[in-house]
Amino acid sequence: MDRRITKFVKHHIVLIPILFLAAFLRLYEADTEFFGGDDAYISIKAIQVASYGETHLLGPPSSLGLVHSPLSVYLYAIPYLFSPDPRGAQAFTGILNVVAVGILYFISHRYFGRWAAIIGSVLFAVHPHMVFASRVINNAQLGAPLVMLYLFTGLLGYFDNKGWARLTHLSLLSLAGQCHPHSFALAPISVVLIVYCWINSPKNRRIVLSQTLVGAFIAVVTLVPWGIGLYQFWQDFDVLEMVQNMPSTGELQDSVGFGGLGYIFSLSYNLERVPRNWLQPVQAAIIVAGTLWLLFRALRRRNGFPGLIIVLGLIIVPTVTWIIQAHWVVDYWWPALPNAFLIQGAVIAGVVASPSVLSPRSYLDSLKTRIIKWPVLLLTLALVTNQVWDYFFAD
């Protein structure tokens, strides 16, 4: 066992400095972060739980017209057990998002290779929006590691045939949705995974079905406290009227177009707290190119299926939001945004890895890969350097 642990550590030793970098950026001067109404509301309830043993079945009010799950209150009660100073809770958010960087690394390493894991996790670790917004006290910012685990267990369970992963998969969706309800829009991914496994593993259908049903039952159980709280809430408020009166993406149709879809695209490009510079469209172009490449790869070969799941993990939340015309701000997308860095890592690694993930079949293809390898590596280094620079000098 000790030898296996030693081998594991040596194989993934590069992850240690990446996690240290992610932690430093998220914890350094975290107390300068904005402390607003959501932060205060969650903090008050969390302190009530931590210091006075109170029980809460509801979290803070939701901009969707409902009330959030109490999950965030109980999670933030952990740092408030030690001190009522909100800086501890801000650091707690940062630490959970450092965990998300680690999970992203292992997903990339397993399905896209070592280079993809290194590049994707570093880009995630230094991105200004992902850094600054992970230092607040808020529901959505707790969801990134849960969404990453949801996707990881989905692939492990239904692509790699791991039974324990099938048992936990839907529970992680439930917990992610309790961090923010928009994450429930990821549910079609589970349908795609189950259908894929059903078609490709006919001999395991009975065990797959039974484990999926057990996992679904566990997921429903995790929703019971919130369900009780919402039932009590509905006795005093007309929830349907509140939801109908919320602004939707469709209300921006005249100014942006496409029934609010243009608004979502605009937000996905102009992420909050990202200083404007010439590299911003470059990174967006890498995501678009990576998305198309992963989709094409998924159509051509069976081992490309994880790429389809990662792409769905990025695009399905805004897509569902647009389809149902629900209220939208970029923070609702926060838990699923790490998928953008999975895609970037995968496509960049497809160029720079040796042998190439793109699997060149001819000498000419191999030559092209070698020619663009170093410019792509230099561009990636420029992205990382520029974003670390922005961290220290951004307002």
Side-chain angles (χ1 to χ4, degrees):
M1 180 62 72
D2 291 341
R3 183 177 299 178
R4 291 171 60 185
I5 294 175
T6 302
K7 182 180 178 181
F8 177 85
V9 172
K10 286 182 178 179
H11 192 62
H12 299 292
I13 192 72
V14 69
L15 178 60
I16 296 176
I18 295 173
L19 293 180
F20 271 108
L21 175 63
F24 171 76
L25 295 177
R26 284 157 178 77
L27 299 180
Y28 177 71
E29 292 188 345
D31 57 335
T32 61
E33 199 57 51
F34 177 74
F35 188 86
D38 287 340
D39 309 66
Y41 192 99
I42 294 172
S43 294
I44 290 170
K45 285 201 166 191
I47 290 173
Q48 290 172 345
V49 171
S51 299
Y52 306 106
E54 293 190 13
T55 300
H56 291 287
L57 296 178
L58 292 173
S62 168
S63 57
L64 293 175
L66 300 173
V67 183
H68 282 293
S69 159
L71 178 63
S72 62
V73 171
Y74 285 94
L75 288 175
Y76 279 116
I78 297 172
Y80 280 123
L81 282 170
F82 303 97
S83 170
D85 191 332
R87 288 178 295 184
Q90 290 173 323
F92 180 75
T93 309
I95 290 170
L96 284 183
N97 281 279
V98 172
V99 172
V101 173
I103 300 169
L104 181 145
Y105 170 90
F106 285 111
I107 295 174
S108 295
H109 195 283
R110 185 175 184 91
Y111 299 108
F112 305 110
R114 181 179 177 84
W115 271 102
I118 295 172
I119 294 170
S121 56
V122 169
L123 289 173
F124 181 23
V126 302
H127 193 272
H129 178 67
M130 305 310 291
V131 170
F132 288 124
S134 66
R135 301 166 358 148
V136 297
I137 303 170
N138 201 6
N139 291 60
Q141 274 69 13
L142 297 179
L146 294 169
V147 169
M148 288 292 94
L149 285 173
Y150 164 71
L151 294 175
F152 202 6
T153 54
L155 288 169
L156 288 171
Y158 297 98
F159 182 71
D160 292 335
N161 199 30
K162 306 288 186 183
W164 65 266
R166 289 193 287 262
L167 290 171
T168 57
H169 174 64
L170 292 176
S171 296
L172 288 162
L173 175 62
S174 170
L175 295 175
Q178 290 184 65
C179 287
H180 199 283
H182 272 67
S183 292
F184 283 124
L186 294 165
I189 293 177
S190 296
V191 176
V192 173
L193 286 162
I194 293 168
V195 170
Y196 175 88
C197 186
W198 191 267
I199 294 172
N200 290 278
S201 301
K203 295 181 180 179
N204 297 325
R205 286 177 178 174
R206 180 174 296 180
I207 187 66
V208 168
L209 179 60
S210 61
Q211 289 174 339
T212 300
L213 291 175
V214 171
F217 175 77
I218 297 171
V220 170
V221 170
T222 65
L223 292 168
V224 169
W226 187 23
I228 295 172
L230 286 176
Y231 176 77
Q232 295 172 349
F233 177 75
W234 288 341
Q235 306 306 304
D236 301 314
F237 296 93
D238 188 340
V239 176
L240 182 60
E241 181 182 356
M242 295 172 67
V243 172
Q244 289 174 338
N245 288 332
M246 290 303 300
S248 72
T249 54
E251 294 178 21
L252 297 146
Q253 182 171 0
D254 293 336
S255 60
V256 185
F258 304 106
L261 187 60
Y263 172 62
I264 291 175
F265 287 154
S266 174
L267 278 181
S268 66
Y269 176 75
N270 297 306
L271 288 172
E272 298 171 1
R273 314 217 204 163
V274 177
R276 303 292 177 258
N277 58 68
W278 67 275
L279 286 173
Q280 189 176 359
V282 172
Q283 198 159 17
I286 293 173
I287 295 173
V288 173
T291 297
L292 295 175
W293 172 61
L294 288 173
L295 290 175
F296 177 72
R297 192 164 175 259
L299 291 174
R300 292 189 61 192
R301 60 183 72 173
R302 182 179 180 275
N303 64 1
F305 181 73
L308 170 64
I309 297 303
I310 299 308
V311 169
L312 289 176
L314 178 65
I315 69 175
I316 202 164
V317 172
T319 301
V320 171
T321 301
W322 170 59
I323 290 172
I324 67 174
Q325 291 294 283
H327 183 50
W328 171 269
V329 297
V330 72
D331 264 357
Y332 301 167
W333 201 10
W334 170 268
L337 277 177
N339 288 290
F341 304 97
L342 273 167
I343 293 171
Q344 292 174 67
V347 70
I348 293 173
V351 176
V352 305
S354 181
S356 173
V357 179
L358 295 177
S359 301
R361 296 184 178 182
S362 68
Y363 176 77
L364 181 60
D365 290 333
S366 179
L367 182 63
K368 289 179 180 178
T369 300
R370 289 199 297 269
I371 290 173
I372 64 175
K373 174 180 179 178
W374 292 108
V376 169
L377 272 177
L378 290 174
L379 178 62
T380 304
L381 180 61
L383 281 170
V384 173
T385 304
N386 175 262
Q387 291 178 349
V388 173
W389 177 273
D390 283 342
Y391 170 85
F392 287 105
F393 296 100
D395 183 5

